[in-house]
Amino acid sequence: MTKELDKEYYKAERKAEWRNKLRKEIKSKERTNVVRVHMPEADPNVRNKSNIEVNKGLTLEMAVSESSRCLDCVVPTCVSGCPVGTNIPKFVKYIESGDILGAAKVLKENNSLPAICGRVCPQEIQCEAQCVYVKKLSKEGSAIGYLERFAADYERESGNSSIPELASPNGIKMAVIGSGPAGLTVAGELAKFGYDVTVFEALHDLGGVLKYGIPEFRLPKDIVDFEINTIKQMGVKFITNFIVGKTASINDLKNEGFKAFFVASGAGLPNFMNIPGENFNGIQSANEFLTRVNLMNGADANFDTPVHTGKNVVIVGGGNTAMDSVRTAKRMGAERAMIVYRRSQEEMPARAEEVKHAIEEGIEFINLASPIEYFANVNGMVTKMRVQKMQLGEPDASGRRRPQPIEGSEYDIDVDSVIIAVGVSPNPIIQQSMPDLEVTKWNTIKVDENMMTSIPGLFAGGDIVRGGATVILAMGDGRKAAQGMHKYINETILAEV
Amino acid sequence: MFKIVKKEFLSENVARLVIEAPYIAKSRKAGNFIILRIDKNGERIPLTIADADMEQGTITVIVQRVGVSSHKLCAMNAGEMLLDVVGPLGTATHIAKIGTVLCAGGGVGVAPLFPIVQAMKLAGNRVITVIAARTKDLVILEDEMRAYSDELIIMTDDGSLGTKGLVTQGMEEVIQREKVNEAVVIGPAVMMKFAALTTKKYNIPTVASLNTIMVDGTGMCGACRVSVGGKTEFVCVSGPEFDAHKVNFDEMLNRLKAYKTKEAEGYRDYLKSLEATPALV
């Protein structure tokens, strides 16, 4: 999945004197001989008992060395792999030149959340997969994700954080529904255009999945808050405890003067498998488990929210949410923290890095198996799950080999906690409140090429449109939607003036 | 922050709180609920909106002291602030002119029943209300219910007020006496289970409002799931009201116990910590 690249723009940029000079300092041959940097990581047997961040970040020396590997290609194919179109060669070369704050500024031109993307984006299948090292030289790609994180962290820790340049205020009110990655991106982009932006959040805390979903050891909450704070400094207003479609309708907000809307209400409804015993106690969705731990601090005795975990914990599923859940369960004291996944490790949708980290931390993988029934004790608490072994057949619509049950292969696993992480369906609240809004058969909101829905002035993006994707794809939608909304305002409201 | 403008006890362990929440006061309908959080360490507590005043911009909730959070909430006073209040959540009650509606409430379930009684009466129905409690002192909202009911029947376990007996006995007496077109039952899960069995005998369409465990209340976590007609439903977005004859109450009763041990331990420790703290006065 790559995007069209504005080759002339990047060619012109590359001709800047400082870039020419930097390229000449080291020969390409020497650059290609530099070994790709390794991310320093916390000790697996220490980190699996605490919430410390797993990836520790690069040192300045590591970052400069890694940035020197980048060949500053004439056609930077890496950029075409980035859903938000980050100017990758420019920020990487700024790092090589030692101007780290300059690099951070470049990142913020297209991305309001660089410290987050540097941590949770699947760079290995996006920008880094399009790097010349991978495509032509059969070597490991430039570590763009690590460098992005480095520049963003360096800027934050320097205390000299910059705010992107803003157009002068135009006084036009825009509403963003949901403060997850898609909503935050739209808010930041619209603020740059000069709009008066308000973000409405249903929960009591900002950040959406970045707060309730992704655990502290992978994305520290204070980093999320820092990036949200930058968007606040750009003039964006945030209102928590406000559910558009319930607390007030889109029409109510129109009456309060909002001219266009962006719906980023996310993937709500967790999927279950509808198998016998699934509603016994001790069986919960990954959303519930992670929300109780991450948003409500349920694992901390000083907080009132309880959370159920156990000694023998099974997580059903093979995505990033499953990895986050199983590693959280391990940290909460599970003796056996297990993944039960119906395909093999090769087909797992989770990032390779997350699977690697999970294995290092002592997570057990029971692949090619799928639960078929749960059993409970007299108190209705789950004690056992029955799984059936699977084998892989022909590829299905997703291109992955379809798992097929092996008859007579059933066996039981003792469990006292089960977490279901088999995907989510779109949150239904906005759709329920707007019967005219066109949706797909999966109840995701339909949008056009500008991310506008069937209702003029109402845009949507992120999981409410995609049904369950990544942070960066949601942000890509956000950038596109902000441009669509700007165009809509120019063609309607401003054209009338 | 959301200000508590009024607080009073309706019985020893049941308090009524009037909270400033103008948007919710305006948009709420019978059957809707809110989620509130007392402070930054607090949990998200779902409570049905018992009443609202659009002009004053306030909503009323009724809370029973059963654990740490409800204890803290009952101890709050007018003028104090709640950190978070969000709503109105859930699907509103289907209100229409149906004929004769039998509304039955048990214990603190009488509170969420009140806006439904009110709306059913205003829609032109004949409303017969049965409210039940263990004893006289635990009967709540008697005057309010009387004002909107064509007839109010009070049942107490010990006969200290109204008729001695269970809510189902009061319901059955009405059903045997006259044609009932619809029933609405709200209360403890076990009460709703038996109330539903009672109306089922007479084939009376019945709605129950379910009070399951919730976290976000917006369809995200699935903690509130129940089986209705063999299908898993989320109470927070598809409910809280369902066809009472299709709800698997036994499963629901079990799911309500999910955190019982943890919560009981937590409450015991909390009460101990209160005893250990010298009074400030």
Side-chain angles (χ1 to χ4, degrees), chain A residues 204 241 243 246-247 256 269-270 272 278-279 281 283 285 287-288 291-292 302-305 307 379-380 427, chain B residues 23 27 37 41 43-44 72 84 87-90 218-221 223 225 227 234 251 254-255 259 262:
Chain A
H204 57 260
N241 295 315
I243 306 178
K246 292 280 182 192
T247 311
E256 292 194 11
L269 300 176
F272 289 92
E278 205 173 22
N279 289 345
N281 289 335
I283 304 174
S285 74
N287 266 6
E288 177 178 354
T291 300
R292 285 180 183 274
N302 294 316
F303 288 77
D304 294 341
T305 301
V307 56
N379 297 318
N427 191 292
Chain B
Y23 273 109
S27 49
R37 208 162 67 112
N41 291 9
E43 55 187 328
R44 292 171 66 93
K72 286 181 185 169
D84 302 294
L89 294 159
T218 62
M220 209 175 77
C221 79
R225 65 194 193 273
S227 295
F234 290 178
E251 182 190 278
N254 185 53
R255 289 189 58 77
Y259 295 94
K262 276 197 186 85

Side-chain angles (χ1 to χ4, degrees), chain A residues 210-227:
Chain A
L210 307 170
K211 280 281 179 62
Y212 73 74
I214 303 176
E216 182 76 17
F217 58 81
R218 201 151 74 82
L219 179 62
K221 301 287 166 276
D222 55 2
I223 286 175
V224 179
D225 282 331
F226 185 88
E227 308 241 66

Side-chain angles (χ1 to χ4, degrees), chain A residues 86-362:
Chain A
T86 296
N87 190 336
I88 294 166
K90 193 174 181 181
F91 102 79
V92 171
K93 289 298 121 181
Y94 265 127
I95 294 179
E96 188 184 338
S97 78
D99 182 0
I100 317 297
L101 293 178
K105 224 174 227 171
V106 173
L107 286 169
K108 282 187 181 171
E109 283 171 11
N110 287 3
N111 184 343
S112 316
L113 314 168
I116 295 170
C117 288
R119 284 171 167 80
V120 304
C121 268
Q123 292 96 6
E124 67 280 2
I125 57 165
Q126 295 181 158
C127 51
E128 295 178 17
Q130 302 301 325
C131 173
V132 69
Y133 277 93
V134 174
K135 300 209 77 138
K136 297 274 168 67
L137 304 177
S138 299
K139 288 189 173 189
E140 284 187 292
S142 177
I144 299 163
Y146 295 168
L147 292 175
E148 178 180 32
R149 171 184 162 154
F150 172 76
D153 285 359
Y154 182 96
E155 187 199 40
R156 184 181 66 256
E157 285 157 13
S158 75
N160 289 314
S161 247
S162 66
I163 305 288
E165 211 170 297
L166 310 176
S168 54
N170 61 19
I172 297 172
K173 284 169 82 173
M174 303 288 250
V176 175
I177 298 151
S179 67
L184 290 174
T185 301
V186 166
E189 294 299 312
L190 290 177
K192 285 185 207 165
F193 288 132
Y195 290 102
D196 176 3
V197 187
T198 304
V199 180
F200 297 92
E201 168 55 48
L203 292 172
H204 57 260
D205 200 1
L206 299 171
V209 71
L210 307 170
K211 280 281 179 62
Y212 73 74
I214 303 176
E216 182 76 17
F217 58 81
R218 201 151 74 82
L219 179 62
K221 301 287 166 276
D222 55 2
I223 286 175
V224 179
D225 282 331
F226 185 88
E227 308 241 66
I228 292 174
N229 204 33
T230 305
I231 297 171
K232 280 184 187 164
Q233 286 171 14
M234 292 163 70
V236 173
K237 286 166 266 186
F238 288 88
I239 300 179
T240 52
N241 295 315
F242 199 109
I243 306 178
V244 176
K246 292 280 182 192
T247 311
S249 66
I250 296 271
N251 275 333
D252 292 335
L253 295 179
K254 268 188 193 158
N255 292 336
E256 292 194 11
F258 287 95
K259 299 297 181 201
F261 300 82
F262 180 68
V263 180
S265 45
L269 300 176
N271 295 341
F272 289 92
M273 294 174 67
N274 299 312
I275 58 175
E278 205 173 22
N279 289 345
F280 283 131
N281 289 335
I283 304 174
Q284 60 190 321
S285 74
N287 266 6
E288 177 178 354
F289 177 63
L290 293 173
T291 300
R292 285 180 183 274
V293 176
N294 297 333
L295 180 74
M296 305 308 296
N297 293 294
D300 181 337
N302 294 316
F303 288 77
D304 294 341
T305 301
V307 56
H308 176 80
T309 183
K311 294 290 166 210
N312 294 303
V313 186
V314 159
I315 283 76
V316 181
N320 287 321
T321 308
M323 295 307 138
D324 286 344
S325 301
V326 77
R327 295 169 70 196
T328 300
K330 182 77 187 176
R331 281 159 173 76
M332 289 172 69
E335 283 158 16
R336 290 187 77 189
M338 299 164 263
I339 287 280
V340 167
Y341 178 55
R342 63 192 182 130
R343 302 186 213 240
S344 69
Q345 195 164 314
E346 206 173 304
E347 287 84 18
M348 254 182 204
R351 284 187 76 186
E353 183 184 58
E354 305 310 324
V355 176
K356 170 187 158 276
H357 284 163
I359 293 170
E360 289 166 359
E361 288 166 12

